[in-house]
Amino acid sequence: MDRIEKKGYWWLPSNPNHQVAGTLVFGDSTSSELELLGTLRDDFEALQAMGNWREEHRPEIILGLCSEGVAYTLCNCLQSSGTFNTSSFLVETFRPTVVIEGKHFNSLNDIVFHHMTMRLSHLGDWYQRTGRSITFEEIDREKRKTTMTYQKAEELIVPFSGGKVEFGHDSRIKFARFSGDFSVSEEACVSVYPDTPLPMSEFLHEGLPPITHFISLGVGRSLTMKELRAKAAVDCTGATTEEIRQAPSLRLCWKKPPSEDADKELFSDNMVATCPDFGASLPAFLDAW
């Protein structure tokens, strides 16, 4: 997620037949930017706008389809530059505030999420749960037996007055046939489920910050957003738990500058308060927070 580059075609929801080739760049360490080999507006209109410093082109939504067939929705885009080059065609550059990978939304009002999931720096050390288990057994002087098992740890569900927060893991098992490598990995994640679906803006500015700040208080330093995913309300409303689990997960890039010490090594013993420290009182603390 440090830097991702996607080539494809891009258009405005109001004019889907006018598609422009371009490249989207985004990622954790990269400012989101869309460079188009052309203009989303009429050429003459775009040229006139170049001479007016006060005019800003701010498309609410830009839609795209990359060469792999993945849909993108770019939200709150500001045109940062426009060039009329020697080949006599316009080149436009936009900076989106949020990049949504996996689905098209025609307006900001349509972007409503059933829940959102995030991975944060130091979250695993704060959470202190695992499904990994390794045991060693000495058979005799020359033989030792190593047994590794993995059973995904049960999620920790914490209710609060407006919904629930779920702590869990993203787990992955990988096996390379020819090299013989075998690995099991798990990364802690936290999901916020409101009682009713929320617009994306409310999730980002009102739903996620309280739980992020709560964990940050326990960790004792600022946290970096490692990954942000969501499931659209339109795919989950009226669905069963299993159907919601199978619904497509959308990836979001909402870049916020990390603090200088967010990714430095930090041991659980150095944290102010970890998840186990709260014990059975965690729901009460979280709800009061």
Side-chain angles (χ1 to χ4, degrees):
M1 284 289 288
D2 284 343
R3 186 182 188 278
I4 298 173
E5 183 176 309
K6 298 292 181 181
K7 300 181 185 296
Y9 285 93
W10 311 87
W11 64 92
L12 297 175
S14 58
N15 192 7
N17 294 323
H18 178 61
Q19 301 186 4
V20 181
T23 302
L24 171 68
V25 175
F26 64 99
D28 291 338
S29 59
T30 306
S31 297
S32 300
E33 186 173 84
L34 173 67
E35 184 177 87
L36 299 174
L37 298 177
T39 174
L40 295 174
R41 298 179 287 178
D42 175 81
D43 286 354
F44 184 69
E45 180 185 359
L47 282 171
Q48 281 187 316
M50 284 186 182
N52 187 353
W53 286 102
R54 293 186 176 183
E55 182 171 337
E56 291 183 340
H57 189 203
R58 291 178 174 269
E60 182 182 85
I61 293 288
I62 296 177
L63 302 178
L65 190 67
C66 75
S67 56
E68 294 96 342
V70 179
Y72 284 89
T73 299
L74 313 183
C75 307
N76 288 323
C77 307
L78 171 64
Q79 183 182 356
S80 57
S81 67
T83 305
F84 186 66
N85 62 24
T86 55
S87 300
S88 299
F89 68 88
L90 286 163
V91 176
E92 287 185 336
T93 303
F94 291 90
R95 293 188 178 275
T97 302
V98 181
V99 175
I100 302 177
E101 180 183 86
K103 198 176 188 68
H104 284 153
F105 296 94
N106 288 323
S107 71
L108 292 178
N109 292 333
D110 293 338
I111 309 177
V112 180
F113 294 140
H114 178 268
H115 68 273
M116 295 195 78
T117 300
M118 52 186 171
R119 288 196 297 108
L120 304 166
S121 59
H122 307 303
L123 179 59
D125 295 318
W126 180 85
Y127 185 38
Q128 292 192 21
R129 288 195 181 191
T130 181
R132 302 187 305 267
S133 176
I134 301 177
T135 59
F136 300 92
E137 180 182 352
E138 188 170 354
I139 306 299
D140 53 39
R141 279 186 158 185
E142 298 180 355
K143 294 181 180 179
R144 289 178 175 83
K145 179 181 179 182
T146 303
T147 303
M148 182 183 70
T149 60
Y150 182 78
Q151 182 175 351
K152 189 173 182 180
E154 186 176 351
E155 290 84 1
L156 172 63
I157 299 175
V158 184
F160 66 97
S161 56
K164 66 179 181 180
V165 175
E166 181 179 292
F167 297 93
H169 290 104
D170 289 330
S171 57
R172 184 178 297 107
I173 298 176
K174 183 179 179 181
F175 172 67
R177 177 183 296 273
F178 297 107
S179 64
D181 293 336
F182 183 86
S183 64
V184 177
S185 63
E186 64 176 5
E187 294 187 74
C189 59
V190 56
S191 302
V192 178
Y193 291 80
D195 288 333
T196 57
L198 290 179
M200 178 181 67
S201 59
E202 289 190 36
F203 255 116
L204 296 182
H205 300 293
E206 299 177 28
L208 301 185
I211 183 63
T212 305
H213 296 161
F214 181 82
I215 299 171
S216 179
L217 181 65
V219 170
R221 66 177 56 169
S222 300
L223 307 177
T224 298
M225 183 81 71
K226 294 293 188 181
E227 187 180 28
L228 187 58
R229 305 191 305 272
K231 296 207 174 183
V234 68
D235 296 327
C236 300
T237 303
T240 64
T241 302
E242 183 58 30
E243 288 172 339
I244 293 174
R245 191 184 300 273
Q246 297 298 325
S249 185
L250 312 179
R251 183 168 63 170
L252 285 79
C253 183
W254 180 46
K255 187 175 181 297
K256 304 186 73 176
S259 63
E260 293 182 358
D261 61 352
D263 296 320
K264 291 182 179 178
E265 188 177 74
L266 182 66
F267 294 103
S268 302
D269 291 345
N270 297 325
M271 295 182 180
V272 178
T274 63
C275 186
D277 293 331
F278 292 98
S281 301
L282 181 59
F285 272 101
L286 188 58
D287 190 48
W289 179 266

